[in-house]
Amino acid sequence: MDSSFYWTVSLIAYLWGTLGHSGCLCFRKQGLGKLAFMGIIAGFCSHMVGLLLRTIASGHLPLTNLYESMAFFSWTIVLVYLIVDGRYKLKGLGIFASLLSSLTIGYALLLPSGYKEINLLMPALQSVWLEVHVITCFLGYAAFAIAFAGGITYLLKDLTWFGQRLPDEKLLDKLAYRIIAFGFFFLTLGIITGAIWANYAWGTYWDWDPKEVWALVTWLIYGLYLHSRLVSNWRGKRSAWLSIIGFIATIFTYLGVNLLMSGLHSYAK
Amino acid sequence: MRGRIIVNQIKIAIGLFIILILASIAGTITTVDIYHSWWFITILALIGVNIVLCSFSRKKRADYFLIHIGILVILLGAMIGSLAGFKEYLEVDEGQTVFLSQAKLGVRLEKFEIDYYPNSQTPRQYRSTLTIMEKGRSVLTKTIEVNHPLSYKGIRFYQSSYGHGKIKAATINISKAMNSSGENITLCVGEETTSLGLGLRIKLIQFLPDFAMIGTMTYSRSNELTNPAAKLMVYDKNGLISTRWVFGRFPDFHFQSSEGLRFRLIGIESSYYSGLQAVKDPGVPLVFLGFCLLPLGLIKSLWRRRNG
């Protein structure tokens, strides 16, 4: 069976995770939360089997086109979620984390079959820098996705009837800050490794290519986030909004640039 | 007092962040290059000044200091590169020597090769064997590939692209009817046949490796021989009788011509040119130093927060 089978299984598991976590929050059934969590773990394992199969079939890590990178992105979101959940045990976060991974793996699976073919790597892509660059970028993106989930959770607290059942505001704020600091480190590494690679391949570490500029914009938004916390009245709601804006910029860097603009990353269709 | 100055500097930093974000986004929407404009560089310079003012007054925190000094070093390296470096793109045919306009060096392309993936038109790798010429003598011969440049006296040569250079010759078959084997002629672009057995003269005026059309304008879509086409002018003893395109992939396109002749493009002899990027950037070591300092500072601050 090929990787898409295992990814379909993980899609179902993540959807179950979303439902189970929501049910846990609505009906205050702790058992449901545990079942949802176990579903996500099962989905994560199946997801990884799919990635391994794809690696074996293509002879390179699954990072070279939209289909593969989307599947990988979805997996890193779950990975970061599991790390965060293991440490902080936050209610509510699981809903959005598993929803985001369902959406990303679902999007990958729904791509037309032309997108799913195994790529022959063009010469510039045959470099270890490809793996280092893409993996570090996606770890950053995934951390921002979880921080985005945290930001949404924070804003929902005031708005909805189940707000009081969500985790404490201060804890959410602090957690988002830590995850963003983690993601910022990886995005920085991602941009730097991309620059070093570009310097080997084309002789310029920075060319103001749209993808580069949008990665810089994303980096600056999170840089702004980190600095703004030194000024006391920016914490809380404003921080939550910034984590949402930052994630929108992240998604635009990843997808929007390739869909709407041309440039050096245009092979990543 | 000192604390207040720092808070004010951070407020200014936040303002500069917002300005730089908006300016960068604007640059991806307009077609104007704003990233090299005086006002964009001024924003970067202001950020540099702000970093100096902020981070040097908080020297005690080693992690923040490393991060900010890293950014400053990168900006400095970029400045040196843009003031003292150059970039030049060269297209060289096999056997040809071209000279850099900004350095006293020449480069000769000895050989150009492409490896393809098995059963495919996709290049796996392409490489150029180059000889660097200095003061009329060859000083270095080396083969470069994509991702593997060569370096001579601070100037690096990158394999950047390739394409079909001049078409050496195209072979065209002309016959009176479907079943006759006809006559083969081989022509270079601009060349003309002497009178053929059919009482005609033919001139090859243009060649496109990947023929495409927009309206009435013809152009080559790529450098690959995907849809090779030759443009011919056909004369009889009274003068020009037709101008026509002849296709390699579609031999019978336009077959029923006014002259009642069948033209087929049956062979192409072309040479490649190699696209080389020559770069001198004395700022790169500094930029790479910054690339080490910045993540080092970030990981230090992550570590501190974890334990603090």
Side-chain angles (χ1 to χ4, degrees), chain A:
Chain A
M1 259 170 277
D2 74 339
S3 43
S4 64
F5 168 77
Y6 291 93
W7 291 341
T8 310
V9 170
S10 50
L11 169 63
I12 294 164
Y14 299 152
L15 286 172
W16 161 247
T18 315
L19 280 175
H21 276 306
S22 314
C24 171
L25 199 74
C26 294
F27 310 119
R28 300 185 193 234
K29 290 265 188 323
Q30 289 306 312
L32 212 52
K34 274 201 182 114
L35 280 175
F37 186 75
M38 277 156 65
I40 294 175
I41 297 265
F44 180 74
C45 295
S46 172
H47 202 149
M48 196 151 73
V49 171
L51 290 172
L52 277 173
L53 285 179
R54 181 81 183 183
T55 305
I56 294 164
S58 68
H60 50 77
L61 288 181
L63 310 168
T64 62
N65 58 20
L66 182 61
Y67 176 61
E68 292 177 344
S69 71
M70 207 57 155
F72 183 74
F73 179 40
S74 177
W75 184 77
T76 51
I77 292 174
V78 187
L79 176 71
V80 174
Y81 161 72
L82 290 176
I83 293 170
V84 172
D85 196 78
R87 276 189 65 146
Y88 297 92
K89 293 264 174 259
L90 281 183
K91 280 183 232 159
L93 203 61
I95 302 175
F96 298 108
S98 49
L99 184 62
L100 279 173
S101 19
S102 317
L103 286 175
T104 40
I105 194 67
Y107 183 88
L109 289 167
L110 287 175
L111 282 170
S113 59
Y115 285 81
K116 298 182 180 174
E117 277 161 24
I118 287 171
N119 281 30
L120 296 172
L121 294 188
M122 58 184 262
L125 292 186
Q126 296 162 30
S127 167
V128 265
W129 291 107
L130 168 73
E131 279 102 11
V132 184
H133 170 61
V134 179
I135 290 173
T136 48
C137 283
F138 277 119
L139 280 173
Y141 293 179
F144 297 148
I146 299 298
F148 165 76
I152 296 269
T153 314
Y154 187 100
L155 293 175
L156 282 180
K157 273 191 74 81
D158 282 353
L159 295 173
T160 47
W161 55 268
F162 58 86
Q164 68 225 21
R165 295 183 198 171
L166 293 167
D168 177 58
E169 283 179 341
K170 279 214 172 104
L171 185 63
L172 273 174
D173 188 53
K174 193 178 155 194
L175 176 79
Y177 174 56
R178 291 201 167 185
I179 301 171
I180 285 178
F182 170 86
F184 190 75
F185 168 69
F186 279 104
L187 180 64
T188 308
L189 276 188
I191 294 173
I192 286 176
T193 51
I196 294 172
W197 182 16
N199 196 59
Y200 274 108
W202 301 298
T204 17
Y205 53 83
W206 194 261
D207 210 25
W208 297 105
D209 169 76
K211 192 91 166 179
E212 292 173 350
V213 176
W214 272 96
L216 177 69
V217 166
T218 307
W219 190 79
L220 288 170
I221 291 172
Y222 287 108
L224 172 65
Y225 174 96
L226 295 172
H227 283 83
S228 71
R229 299 187 65 85
L230 298 166
V231 186
S232 52
N233 63 351
W234 274 74
R235 294 194 182 197
K237 240 181 195 165
R238 279 197 200 177
S239 276
W241 276 112
L242 264 182
S243 68
I244 291 168
I245 295 169
F247 187 62
I248 294 170
T250 305
I251 292 301
F252 193 80
T253 305
Y254 172 34
L255 296 175
V257 172
N258 293 77
L259 295 175
L260 302 174
M261 298 165 181
S262 64
L264 293 173
H265 283 79
S266 53
Y267 51 79
K269 275 174 202 152

